[in-house]
Amino acid sequence: MIRKNVSMEDEYLQKLQPFLDKNNGNLSAAIRDTIELADAALQGHESVEGALEYFTQSSTKYPEIRNSLIESGECILISQLSFRWLIENTDGILVDDELVSELFNPYKIKNVSDLLEYINARSRNMGWGIGVSVSS
């Protein structure tokens, strides 16, 4: 364990407040949580600036992205009720090979890490705000 003195302005302590509250005022634990969050936020971004731009501007860009995906035919809109019915009534049914090949290019995805990267990139591009991970 390395011990360091950290000095920061009140502005940054204010930003750490949710983490301090979560960790009962423990600054070290709050900073560890912040580092974990920053690491997750940087996944798929080439720089801190790129990640900041994505998270601060993506909420205003999302309708444009969604509309372009719908117009290109890559995505469709479906009601939540219809989607829930689809998920519940197709549980356990195998998907046709042609559909799987259309969704996941077998020439680009050769292992599980490629699949995870592909799924997470599609999720980010569609503005879903979810991530997929695997552990074994």
Side-chain angles (χ1 to χ4, degrees), residues 78-93 95 128:
I78 185 171
S79 72
Q80 185 178 29
L81 182 61
S82 299
F83 187 68
R84 185 175 290 136
W85 176 89
L86 178 69
I87 296 298
E88 290 172 356
N89 289 290
T90 57
D91 186 28
I93 296 174
V95 179
W128 290 345

Side-chain angles (χ1 to χ4, degrees), residues 52-120:
L52 283 171
E53 181 180 332
Y54 175 81
F55 287 111
T56 56
Q57 293 182 358
S58 66
S59 61
T60 59
K61 291 182 179 178
Y62 177 69
E64 295 171 15
I65 295 168
R66 180 196 61 217
N67 291 342
S68 68
L69 290 170
I70 292 169
E71 289 170 7
S72 71
E74 184 174 349
C75 296
I76 63 166
L77 284 178
I78 185 171
S79 72
Q80 185 178 29
L81 182 61
S82 299
F83 187 68
R84 185 175 290 136
W85 176 89
L86 178 69
I87 296 298
E88 290 172 356
N89 289 290
T90 57
D91 186 28
I93 296 174
L94 293 177
V95 179
D96 292 333
D97 289 344
E98 297 84 26
L99 181 59
V100 172
S101 294
E102 185 179 324
L103 291 173
F104 308 109
N105 184 338
Y107 298 108
K108 290 184 179 179
I109 300 172
K110 299 196 183 304
N111 55 44
V112 173
S113 62
D114 290 345
L115 177 62
L116 286 175
E117 184 178 325
Y118 173 79
I119 291 171
N120 285 324

Side-chain angles (χ1 to χ4, degrees), residues 6-25:
V6 176
S7 59
M8 66 180 73
E9 297 171 7
D10 191 48
E11 167 190 358
Y12 297 103
L13 282 172
Q14 298 272 334
K15 292 179 180 182
L16 279 176
Q17 194 59 50
F19 299 101
L20 289 167
D21 292 343
K22 175 186 174 243
N23 292 292
N24 299 318

